[in-house]
Amino acid sequence: MNHMKHNTPPLATAARYARQIALPEIGPEGQAKLRQSRALIVGAGGLGSPALLYLAAAGVGVLGVADSDTASASNLNRQILYSENDLGTAKTDAALDRLRRLNSDLTIVTHPVRLTTANAAAIIAEYDVIVDCVDSLAARSLINHAALAAGRDVVEAGIEGFHGFVLSVRRGTACAACVQPAPSPDGAFPPLCGGEAGSPVFGPAAGVAGCLQAAECVKLLLGIGKPLFSRLLLFDVLRMEFDELPLSPAPDCPVCGAYR
């Protein structure tokens, strides 16, 4: 695990965040709260890339980046943190370089590991909100278990092709495992598939999901708005349609059932 803060003097807060501070829901107090907040992004890929960029731009004071992979050519259609110069580089190292050039006023903590039952609890406990950007149902279940056990909120998302979903989870609300493998309203895709590694992905669909995750994360950190608790947001960018599916926590859910 590496902690890195850029040495370049940061831009004045008033100048950098002026348009954001102007929002009455945020204001100077909210901006100061973001500066003291900690968010962990698990998976610095198609979803994690836009989520990290927008959270860094928003001024979240400590960003954790957990990923064990290296950047490859097949990532570049959607993983906008990386360039051709990053191919073969550890994603955490490339993300660190890109994020500290975007905002020198942040602390970036890299976790160049795959989360497992042995390390997930300790890593997740360091953060306020967990942003789940993984592409595996097993990894999603592990993250949910560890986060809910620690009392941490989670922002989940997944994509496949032109479709995706976003869901926020807190103790007492429905998690992805409560409804897996529920189909989308028109039966077009299994919304909680998560875009398993190797599945086809339209790059901008990943951008939509990652940006929505960043928005949910900021809302949760600040306690503003209406998060997507027990509300599964589904989207199809090919038809440009968004749907919302209300959820109920499953009494026998193997992931979140023990944390209610």
Side-chain angles (χ1 to χ4, degrees):
M1 178 174 66
N2 297 313
H3 294 69
M4 181 65 73
K5 188 166 182 177
H6 202 20
N7 293 323
T8 303
L11 294 175
T13 297
R16 176 182 287 277
Y17 305 115
R19 300 296 183 92
Q20 187 163 285
I21 291 172
L23 295 166
E25 294 84 356
I26 297 180
E29 297 81 7
Q31 193 62 52
K33 188 173 182 179
L34 285 178
R35 184 68 183 83
Q36 300 301 315
S37 297
R38 305 172 62 92
L40 173 67
I41 289 71
V42 186
L47 306 178
S49 288
L52 280 163
L53 288 168
Y54 273 105
L55 291 172
V60 176
V62 178
L63 287 176
V65 187
D67 200 301
S68 61
D69 291 338
T70 58
S72 65
S74 64
N75 301 148
L76 298 182
N77 82 308
R78 64 200 181 282
Q79 299 185 13
I80 57 175
L81 268 177
Y82 315 115
S83 71
E84 294 177 0
N85 292 334
D86 296 317
L87 297 181
T89 302
K91 288 184 177 179
T92 49
D93 290 342
L96 171 63
D97 179 67
R98 177 71 179 89
L99 294 172
R100 68 183 183 184
R101 285 187 287 113
L102 173 62
N103 191 342
S104 59
D105 192 31
L106 309 180
T107 297
I108 311 298
V109 184
T110 59
H111 304 275
V113 296
R114 183 180 296 274
L115 263 60
T116 67
T117 54
N119 64 21
I123 292 174
I124 282 173
E126 299 178 20
Y127 298 91
D128 303 314
V129 172
I130 313 304
V131 184
D132 169 3
C133 300
V134 299
D135 59 7
S136 157
L137 291 173
R140 176 162 295 124
S141 177
L142 171 69
I143 293 166
N144 272 270
H145 267 298
L148 292 174
R152 303 295 190 265
D153 293 342
V154 186
V155 184
E156 305 180 2
I159 54 168
E160 184 168 300
F162 297 97
H163 309 91
F165 81 91
V166 184
L167 172 70
S168 290
V169 181
R170 174 176 288 174
R171 283 186 178 185
T173 71
C175 76
C178 289
V179 291
Q180 179 67 28
S184 60
D186 61 1
F189 76 111
L192 306 185
C193 62
E196 297 283 343
S199 62
V201 176
F202 182 56
V208 170
C211 288
L212 290 171
Q213 284 184 286
E216 284 290 289
C217 182
V218 170
K219 287 160 56 182
L220 293 170
L221 290 171
L222 295 181
I224 62 174
K226 183 181 179 182
L228 287 167
F229 292 139
S230 294
R231 297 188 297 138
L232 186 68
L233 182 66
L234 304 169
F235 65 85
D236 176 344
V237 297
L238 190 60
R239 297 184 299 177
M240 204 49 72
E241 294 180 353
F242 285 76
D243 294 291
E244 183 182 305
L245 180 65
L247 304 179
S248 296
D252 58 348
C253 178
V255 175
C256 67
Y259 307 112
R260 298 189 194 131

